[in-house]
Amino acid sequence: MQLADIKLAIIGLGYVGLPLAVEFGKKRTVVGFDINQNRIDQLKAGHDSTLETEPEELQAATQLAFSTDLQDLRACNCFIVTVPTPIDQHKRPDLTPLIKASETVGKVLKAGDIVIYESTVYPGCTEEDCVPVLEKFSGLTFNQDFFCGYSPERINPGDKQHRVTTIKKVTSGSTPAIADLVDALYNQIITAGTHKASSIQVAEAAKVIENTQRDVNIALINELALIFNKMGIDTEAVLQAAGSKWNFLPFRPGLVGGHCIGVDPYYLTHKAESIGYHPQIILAGRRLNDSMGAYVVTQLVKAMTKRRMPVQGARILLMGLTFKENCPDLRNTRVVDIVKELADYNAQTDVYDPWANTADAQHEYGITPVQNPVAGAYDAIIIAVAHHQFKAMGAAAIRALGKPDHVLYDLKYLLPKSDSDLRL
């Protein structure tokens, strides 16, 4: 197959798949496929609920067609799979979406076709878990009748500066010739260039350690924050001082959620344990980061108790629910840990987030965000997400939501130290 012969399909049109489909759709014919009919209807109407793609960008992708119909994939010969790879309640990799997507592709796979995976997985997953499914449902033989590639996604939700085309792309293929073809395909849209890995497993490993490294670094800073809080030292002041050195890494303490940093390390540790190695640093970092919600609530309860404020029955405002600022992404948000901990104290928690979709919050977490917090109603306020709307409010407007003797806990260093009562 030559580059000009590729008839492309993108399987999965979420935060990763849609921007990719749009960029390719500006240059070549693309079928954007998703099993969610509502999602397809929205996109056909020119609206992206993830807010990653603007209406004018959708309009510019003149060669992109959206579909839920398997028959529309039969004319394609190159499939890019961009479905989620979450973890289950036991923090084990949940490959269900990936396997289902592989089954779908397998049903339309033909001799000479290429399947490229972008979903974050552990090293070996593409060839050990996905390829057998493709073979089973197609009746074809890997690297004889069809081929595979792996090019890990590097989408950063809510980031309007680092987009799919401006982030260097790692590529790989199951044979040298396929690796060259996959690399050439992505180079059609990636202005930042590509890095062709020596194998699919190298590319898989490169992706999973990117976020594992960030997770471990944040865990270190979170632990330092716990230590400095016990010593009565301002963590942010320490980090600013240390940051005056050119090679100090600028991480900040906080909740670690989202579809990547809070999930990807478990894919690597799962694979490590399957080959007989028990990771120590990675899992220790995960445990510490997963405990931060409980720590925040403990600190808040101590502050309220010192002021002789009853916690049971207290009304608390939690500002922010999404996993990061200025985007509607609720996946694996650790703000819910704070909600659960406060519920154990029988406190009444209102969640306010102008970015969060109410229906999604109800469906995923059973939380109904308030639309307009009542002024002067809250015993405590927690700034959990640094949305620009909260920053624009300023300390006075945020404090106006609390009772005269409320506690303001600023998790995100959104306000000057003098304007809050507690910080991490």
Side-chain angles (χ1 to χ4, degrees):
M1 186 189 303
Q2 302 297 314
L3 186 60
D5 300 326
I6 289 179
K7 298 175 183 177
L8 190 61
I10 308 294
I11 312 299
L13 298 175
Y15 283 87
V16 174
L18 181 62
L20 195 68
V22 165
E23 293 303 325
F24 274 121
K26 296 174 183 177
K27 297 182 178 294
R28 58 166 61 242
T29 300
V30 180
V31 175
F33 180 87
D34 200 286
I35 61 173
N36 186 334
Q37 186 64 57
N38 288 335
R39 175 68 168 160
I40 293 298
D41 292 341
Q42 288 178 356
L43 293 174
K44 285 183 175 179
H47 174 65
D48 172 23
S49 60
T50 69
L51 304 183
E52 289 299 302
T53 305
E54 300 295 334
E56 53 269 25
E57 292 178 298
L58 285 172
Q59 292 176 359
T62 56
Q63 300 181 70
L64 171 61
F66 299 111
S67 178
T68 58
D69 189 348
L70 185 67
Q71 299 306 313
D72 290 334
L73 297 178
R74 294 193 181 279
C76 300
N77 56 17
C78 183
F79 307 87
I80 301 180
V81 178
T82 61
V83 297
T85 44
I87 53 175
D88 63 19
Q89 60 181 344
H90 303 295
K91 303 188 186 304
R92 297 176 302 198
D94 180 4
L95 297 180
T96 303
L98 196 62
I99 298 303
K100 292 293 184 183
S102 298
E103 292 175 0
T104 296
V105 173
K107 293 174 183 177
V108 297
L109 201 62
K110 306 174 298 300
D113 287 0
I114 302 171
V115 185
I116 304 167
Y117 290 90
E118 287 212 4
S119 307
T120 302
V121 293
Y122 45 76
C125 182
T126 298
E127 291 155 299
E128 296 167 9
D129 297 277
C130 299
V131 163
V133 176
L134 295 172
E135 290 183 320
K136 176 182 177 181
F137 280 80
S138 68
L140 302 175
T141 302
F142 176 52
N143 272 350
Q144 178 179 312
D145 302 316
F146 73 93
F147 306 89
C148 283
Y150 184 79
S151 181
E153 60 90 2
R154 281 176 166 172
I155 294 294
N156 187 25
D159 189 338
K160 299 304 181 182
Q161 180 180 358
H162 301 97
R163 309 299 300 276
V164 61
T165 59
T166 61
I167 302 173
K168 196 164 189 174
K169 200 88 163 68
V170 174
T171 66
S172 64
S174 56
T175 70
I178 294 301
D180 289 342
L181 184 56
V182 170
D183 193 66
L185 175 64
Y186 279 105
N187 265 303
Q188 286 194 321
I189 65 167
I190 306 298
T191 58
T194 59
H195 175 95
K196 187 169 61 175
S198 57
S199 70
I200 286 177
Q201 285 201 24
V202 167
E204 291 169 325
K207 169 57 180 177
V208 79
I209 71 166
E210 288 176 15
N211 289 312
T212 299
Q213 182 187 67
R214 287 181 57 80
D215 192 43
V216 171
N217 275 288
I218 296 170
L220 171 62
I221 301 301
N222 273 335
E223 187 162 62
L224 293 175
L226 269 59
I227 294 170
F228 295 144
N229 282 346
K230 281 185 171 293
M231 298 175 67
I233 299 174
D234 181 29
T235 302
E236 174 67 0
V238 173
L239 294 176
Q240 287 179 351
S244 64
K245 190 172 184 228
W246 78 92
N247 60 352
F248 185 81
L249 301 178
F251 290 95
R252 288 295 183 270
L255 306 174
V256 184
H259 66 297
C260 286
I261 300 179
V263 173
D264 295 356
Y266 289 119
Y267 274 74
L268 183 56
T269 58
H270 168 81
K271 183 65 176 182
E273 289 174 335
S274 74
I275 58 174
Y277 180 78
H278 182 72
Q280 299 181 55
I281 293 175
I282 298 172
L283 287 175
R286 280 279 73 239
R287 286 192 297 270
L288 196 146
N289 284 341
D290 280 347
S291 73
M292 290 306 292
Y295 175 78
V296 166
V297 173
T298 298
Q299 292 298 99
L300 178 65
V301 168
K302 285 181 179 179
M304 293 177 68
T305 302
K306 287 179 180 178
R307 296 190 184 187
R308 300 184 183 278
M309 300 169 63
V311 179
Q312 184 169 340
R315 194 169 180 186
I316 297 171
L317 177 64
L318 195 53
M319 299 181 68
L321 180 61
T322 60
F323 92 87
K324 65 179 292 188
E325 66 276 4
N326 306 324
C327 81
D329 197 343
L330 291 169
R331 291 174 295 174
N332 193 39
T333 174
R334 300 295 11 122
V335 178
V336 297
D337 296 344
I338 297 177
V339 177
K340 293 174 182 177
E341 289 290 327
L342 289 171
D344 289 342
Y345 285 94
N346 293 319
Q348 178 186 341
T349 304
D350 285 349
V351 177
Y352 171 54
D353 193 320
W355 284 86
N357 180 278
T358 299
D360 290 343
Q362 290 172 334
H363 179 264
E364 294 296 326
Y365 304 109
I367 294 171
T368 303
V370 299
Q371 299 303 311
N372 296 293
V374 180
Y378 299 100
D379 298 287
I381 301 170
I382 303 175
I383 303 175
V385 185
H387 291 317
H388 66 74
Q389 289 96 331
F390 299 160
K391 187 173 184 178
M393 287 175 68
I398 293 175
R399 285 220 178 257
L401 299 172
K403 296 177 180 178
D405 192 33
H406 68 275
V407 175
L408 176 57
Y409 197 155
D410 183 5
L411 298 188
K412 302 299 294 184
Y413 304 125
L414 196 70
L415 306 173
K417 181 184 178 183
S418 58
D419 289 332
S420 60
D421 301 307
L422 289 171
R423 299 205 299 178
L424 270 180

